[in-house]
């Protein structure tokens, strides 16, 4: 065979998967470069594996120099591989042998030369920098001239083992198998035996109308039209196929193949499952989707139907073709019926979905939308906190996760507490993108929060040693601080100085702490020790009754701390407060209380006081009834009495007053009292 020409490319880079399950699509070499349906029209962000189809193997186990070989060695392949790898998509080489002739001599010979095929396949995979191999060997089981009636089946198993050994564990290997292979232990494919060697089995769950027509629910006597890939009801259907495979192979190795095509023919009447009256031909998805607007369709004749027997809503259309002069009937899968098959993949937890083939669908937006809705992995995870870090312990923190590209995101929240070495789940997977964390009791330091995001239709692109899986993740450090009061001030009302007995309100105000608590202290005049007068509380005031206070300077103190602070206090302040020396009250008496006019009688006015801090001082005043002002008659002194000679006094009332003040008081008086004497 001819060897590949051109430069040898470097090994493929490490690829980052971005679909929630495997999306495996075949790429036909014949139209790979066509800009309308080839690889440039595909959405590689919704693919995980593209199989180049393909290189044909001859009876000697060597590659045939046909069109597939030409494209394989062209710039078209280079462009495909480059584009795929830029999007994290694997490219694999499909090697092809298809032989259903009597005795399958071509298949028998190719399998007999498996060593040659494996060696040349490995050479091509390495030369082109692709990521693995897909084996599409389709034939019948037979002895191939040996005494082993299952020789072909055993040789297929051997081919898979040899290919795996040659590729190593780092490259991808898949084998295409028939839909009925798991239910037929005597067929060409030993699915359980193959599964040991491969990463995946591609189940070709299409062309089933050729095997279903003679069975219920249609029971046709010869081929009649029907769904090429029915979801249920027909003898061979996707649900049964999946169940049969799951009985022999792990779900993680199964890819359910779906058709991007249908089949049509002329029929004798409009109705489901009609007998063809012409050749049955294939219609690619794009051809099928365009039938309704084709010029040869008789106006008003086009009708869309849905399969009544299968639950898969497979579509069948009818119309009158004016060129062929017949009613045409087309069975095919559109985005609606394909979506139900995708649901089956998710419901059974299969590895993924396979497409025969991508060229048939090209860039049809509805096909890519259906894949996106079911298999797009979540990307670009983000995590934000409200309120933002840092915050004091006790705050309710609301964490909100975001993601992109997936239609059905699930979120799982994790936390790594300060000082811990292991993450723990704090909110299992759910549709809620939010978590509320109560930071009450949290120690000062940095907590780590994380979120895993995956699409609900997949197990997660990445597996974790902690269990479970995720498509993407994000983390967020969150600092918890224990707030402290940075300063506190104190003020008194009434302001200093004040007399004993006043109700003094001490008001405190702290800064830097959201939940300040205050404790009030006093050091009384003449004392060296502070005394707690009001324990910690949210109240910023203390009312001190100064009754009985000795004159002098009292010290008023306040401690402040945040409610979450473990300290005795964060900050303090003190305020000197002067209690001026004073007497609390004064009284006055006279004797006698009445004297005759011009008698010259002596009246004794006696002052008294109480509550004086120091010795009291007395000052005496007089005012006749006919006068409006008081007159000082005896200035401040220690004497408690004043003697008044009544000689010359006019008849009427004479008023006497006494002012009292503490001997150390600077006030004009601390207290006053007055009385009167009658002059008759």
């Amino acid at each position: 065979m001819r060897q590949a020409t051109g430069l040898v490319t470097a090994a493929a880079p490490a690829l980052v998967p971005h679909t929630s399950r495997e999306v495996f699509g075949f790429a036909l070499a014949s139209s790979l470069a066509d800009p309308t349906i080839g690889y440039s029209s595909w959405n590689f962000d919704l693919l995980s594996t593209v199989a180049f189809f393909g290189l044909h193997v001859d009876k000697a186990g060597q590659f045939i120099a046909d069109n597939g070989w030409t494209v394989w060695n062209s710039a078209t392949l280079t462009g495909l591989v480059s584009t795929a790898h830029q999007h994290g998509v694997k490219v694999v080489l499909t090697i092809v042998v298809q032989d259903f002739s009597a005795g399958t001599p071509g298949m028998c010979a190719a399998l007999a030369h498996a060593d040659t095929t494996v060696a040349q396949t490995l050479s091509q995979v390495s030369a082109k920098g692709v990521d693995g191999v897909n084996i599409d060997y389709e034939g019948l089981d037979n002895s191939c001239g040996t005494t082993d009636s299952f020789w072909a089946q055993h040789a297929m198993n051997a081919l898979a083992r040899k290919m795996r050994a040659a590729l190593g564990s780092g490259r991808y290997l898949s084998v295409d198998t028939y839909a009925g292979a798991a239910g037929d232990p005597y067929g060409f494919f030993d699915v359980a035996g193959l599964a040991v060697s491969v990463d995946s089995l591609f189940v070709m769950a299409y062309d089933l109308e050729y095997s279903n027509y003679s069975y219920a629910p249609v029971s046709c006597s010869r081929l009649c039209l029907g769904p090429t890939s029915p979801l249920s009801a027909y003898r061979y259907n996707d649900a049964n196929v999946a169940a049969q495979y799951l009985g022999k192979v792990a779900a993680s190795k199964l890819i359910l193949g779906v058709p991007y095509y249908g089949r049509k023919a002329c029929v004798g009447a409009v109705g489901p499952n009609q007998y063809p009256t012409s050749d049955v031909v294939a219609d690619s998805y794009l051809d099928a989707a365009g039938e309704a607007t084709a010029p040869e369709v008789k106006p008003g004749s086009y009708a869309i139907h849905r399969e009544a027997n299968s639950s898969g809503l497979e579509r069948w259309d009818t119309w009158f073709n004016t060129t062929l002069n017949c009613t045409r009937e087309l069975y095919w899968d559109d985005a609606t019926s394909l979506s139900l098959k995708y649901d089956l993949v998710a419901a059974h937890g299969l590895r993924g979905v396979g497409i025969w083939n991508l060229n048939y669908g090209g860039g049809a937006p509805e096909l890519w939308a259906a894949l996106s809705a079911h298999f797009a992995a979540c990307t670009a995870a983000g995590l934000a906190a409200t309120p933002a870090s840092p915050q004091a312990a006790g705050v309710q923190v609301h964490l909100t996760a975001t993601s992109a590209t997936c239609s059905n995101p699930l979120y799982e929240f994790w936390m790594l507490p300060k000082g811990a070495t292991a993450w723990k789940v704090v909110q299992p997977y759910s549709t809620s993108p939010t978590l509320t964390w109560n930071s009450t009791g949290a120690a000062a330091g940095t907590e780590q929060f994380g979120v895993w995001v995956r699409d609900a239709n997949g197990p997660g692109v990445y597996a974790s040693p902690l269990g479970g899986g995720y498509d993407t993740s994000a983390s967020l450090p969150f600092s918890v601080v224990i707030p402290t009061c940075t300063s506190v001030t104190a003020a008194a009302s009434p302001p200093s100085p004040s007399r004993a007995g006043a109700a003094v309100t001490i008001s405190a105000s702290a800064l830097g702490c959201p939940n300040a608590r205050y404790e009030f202290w006093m050091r009384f005049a003449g004392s060296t020790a502070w005394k707690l007068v009001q324990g910690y509380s949210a109240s910023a005031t203390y009312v001190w009754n100064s009754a009985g206070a000795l004159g002098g300077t009292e010290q008023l103190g306040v401690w402040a701390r945040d409610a979450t602070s473990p300290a005795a206090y964060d900050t303090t302040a003190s305020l000197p407060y002067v209690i001026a020396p004073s007497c609390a009250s004064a009284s006055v008496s006279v004797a006698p209380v009445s004297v005759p006019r011009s008698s010259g009688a002596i009246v004794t006015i006696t002052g008294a006081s109480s509550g004086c801090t120091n010795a009291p001082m007395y000052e005496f005043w007089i005012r006749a009834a006919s006068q409006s002002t008081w007159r000082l008659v005896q200035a401040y002194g220690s004497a408690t009495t004043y003697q008044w000679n009544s000689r010359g006094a006019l008849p009427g009332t004479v008023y006497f007053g006494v002012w009292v003040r503490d001997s150390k008081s600077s006030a004009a008086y601390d207290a006053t009292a007055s009385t009167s004497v009658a002059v008759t």
Side-chain angles (χ1 to χ4, degrees):
M1 63 169 280
R2 294 186 303 173
Q3 295 299 314
T5 59
L7 296 175
V8 175
T9 61
L15 303 180
V16 179
H18 51 268
T19 53
S20 61
R21 296 185 184 276
E22 185 162 3
V23 180
F24 186 113
F26 283 99
L28 295 184
S30 58
S31 55
L32 194 59
D34 189 326
T36 60
I37 61 174
Y39 77 87
S40 62
S41 68
W42 306 339
N43 185 347
F44 280 86
D45 287 332
L46 294 172
L47 297 170
S48 55
T49 311
V50 172
F52 174 86
F53 195 91
L55 295 186
H56 292 83
V57 178
D58 64 15
K59 293 181 180 180
Q62 298 184 346
F63 293 131
I64 300 172
D66 57 8
N67 182 65
W69 176 259
T70 300
V71 177
W72 176 255
N73 290 288
S74 71
T76 299
L77 178 79
T78 304
L80 168 66
V81 174
S82 175
T83 301
H85 285 175
Q86 288 171 18
H87 292 265
V89 178
K90 295 187 292 290
V91 178
V92 299
L93 166 63
T94 299
I95 59 173
V96 185
V97 177
Q98 295 180 353
D99 183 10
F100 295 97
S101 61
T104 62
M107 179 64 74
C108 292
L111 288 171
H113 292 90
D115 291 341
T116 298
T117 305
V118 169
Q120 296 200 351
T121 300
L122 180 61
S123 174
Q124 292 303 311
V125 166
S126 300
K128 296 299 189 288
V130 297
D131 309 290
V133 176
N134 169 252
I135 301 174
D136 185 61
Y137 277 36
E138 300 181 39
L140 305 172
D141 190 24
N142 63 76
S143 64
C144 292
T146 71
T147 57
D148 179 3
S149 57
F150 295 98
W151 187 91
Q153 184 188 94
H154 296 157
M156 270 298 297
N157 286 352
L159 172 61
R161 288 194 301 271
K162 292 176 180 179
M163 192 68 75
R164 167 54 70 207
L167 293 174
S169 60
R171 287 191 172 105
Y172 187 90
L173 178 61
S174 62
V175 173
D176 305 334
T177 61
Y178 305 143
D184 180 11
Y186 307 109
F188 184 62
F189 296 108
D190 170 15
V191 295
L194 289 169
V196 175
S197 302
V198 302
D199 295 292
S200 69
L201 294 176
F202 185 104
V203 183
M204 297 182 288
Y206 37 76
D207 282 353
L208 301 183
E209 67 270 38
Y210 290 102
S211 300
N212 282 330
Y213 71 84
S214 62
Y215 300 99
V218 291
S219 302
C220 295
S221 59
R222 57 185 176 87
L223 176 66
C224 57
L225 296 179
T228 193
S229 180
L231 184 63
S232 64
Y234 289 81
R235 178 176 181 180
Y236 295 99
N237 63 71
D238 293 340
N240 284 347
V241 167
Q244 289 171 354
Y245 268 83
L246 288 170
K248 293 188 175 182
V249 180
S252 61
K253 291 202 172 187
L254 295 178
I255 294 177
L256 181 69
V258 299
Y260 270 14
Y261 69 91
R263 298 196 186 276
K264 64 184 177 182
C266 288
V267 295
V270 173
N273 308 112
Q274 292 293 301
Y275 290 107
T277 58
S278 68
D279 290 339
V280 178
V281 295
D283 238 7
S284 72
Y285 178 90
L286 292 175
D287 289 338
E291 291 285 7
T293 57
E296 62 270 20
V297 174
K298 180 180 179 180
S301 68
Y302 204 96
I304 297 173
H305 315 273
R306 293 289 177 183
E307 172 62 41
N309 295 311
S310 167
S311 60
L313 300 180
E314 290 81 16
R315 180 169 164 177
W316 59 281
D317 300 354
T318 55
W319 68 94
F320 189 83
N321 186 300
T322 57
T323 301
L324 299 175
N325 197 31
C326 71
T327 296
R328 297 287 269 179
E329 185 165 284
L330 164 67
Y331 273 83
W332 62 301
D333 283 281
D334 62 2
T336 297
S337 57
L338 288 169
S339 291
L340 293 175
K341 294 173 175 58
Y342 300 159
D343 290 340
L344 177 68
V345 170
H348 286 293
L350 303 186
R351 182 184 183 96
V353 65
I355 299 165
W356 179 262
N357 59 69
L358 294 170
N359 307 60
Y360 287 171
E366 65 276 15
L367 292 180
W368 296 108
L371 288 172
S372 177
H374 290 80
F375 301 115
C378 301
T379 60
L383 190 59
T386 303
S389 173
Q391 290 294 325
V395 172
Q396 294 276 351
V397 181
H398 301 283
L399 296 158
T400 302
T402 56
S403 62
T405 69
C406 54
S407 300
N408 307 287
L410 298 178
Y411 302 90
E412 184 168 84
F413 289 89
W414 295 71
M415 183 178 180
L416 179 65
K418 175 181 176 290
T421 57
W423 289 81
K424 64 177 183 178
V425 176
V426 290
Q427 185 169 294
Y429 270 120
S430 73
T431 57
S432 174
T434 60
L435 167 72
T436 298
W437 175 54
N438 185 349
S439 65
T440 300
T446 300
E447 315 278 352
Q448 291 287 342
F449 290 93
V451 63
W452 283 2
V453 190
R454 65 174 172 86
D455 189 81
N457 289 321
V461 170
Y462 302 103
S464 168
L466 300 176
Y470 61 97
D471 294 344
T472 184
S473 64
S475 62
L476 179 72
F478 194 95
S479 295
V480 174
V481 295
I482 303 300
T484 58
C485 301
T486 56
S487 64
V488 64
T489 58
S493 178
S496 174
S498 179
R499 295 180 182 181
V504 182
T505 300
I506 306 162
S507 300
S509 178
L511 299 177
C513 43
N515 300 290
R517 298 293 185 266
Y518 302 93
E519 188 168 82
F520 293 89
W521 295 75
M522 288 194 68
R523 192 181 73 188
F524 297 103
S527 174
T528 59
W530 287 87
K531 177 183 178 181
L532 176 66
V533 293
Q534 183 171 296
Y536 272 117
S537 73
S539 174
T541 60
Y542 166 66
V543 178
W544 172 47
N545 183 352
S546 66
L550 299 176
T553 301
E554 315 280 355
Q555 291 291 336
L556 310 178
V558 60
W559 286 4
R561 70 181 183 193
D562 190 82
T564 60
S565 174
Y569 58 85
D570 295 339
T571 184
T572 65
S574 63
L575 179 70
Y577 195 91
V578 175
I579 296 295
S582 66
C583 297
S585 63
S587 62
V588 62
S589 62
V590 296
V593 296
S594 175
V595 295
R597 175 185 177 190
S598 302
S599 65
I602 300 301
V603 178
T604 301
I605 298 95
T606 302
S609 63
S610 64
C612 298
T613 308
N614 301 286
M617 303 289 285
Y618 298 90
E619 188 169 79
F620 293 90
W621 296 75
I622 189 171
R623 179 175 69 83
S626 60
Q627 296 174 333
S628 60
T629 58
W630 289 85
R631 178 170 56 89
L632 176 67
V633 292
Q634 184 173 299
Y636 271 118
S638 59
T640 59
T641 61
Y642 165 65
Q643 304 290 324
W644 176 54
N645 188 334
S646 62
R647 185 179 300 276
L650 297 176
T653 302
V654 178
Y655 294 96
F656 294 93
V658 63
W659 286 5
V660 182
R661 71 180 182 191
D662 188 275
S663 58
K664 295 184 179 181
S665 174
S666 61
Y669 57 85
D670 295 340
T672 64
S674 64
T675 189
S676 63
V677 173
V679 178
T680 60

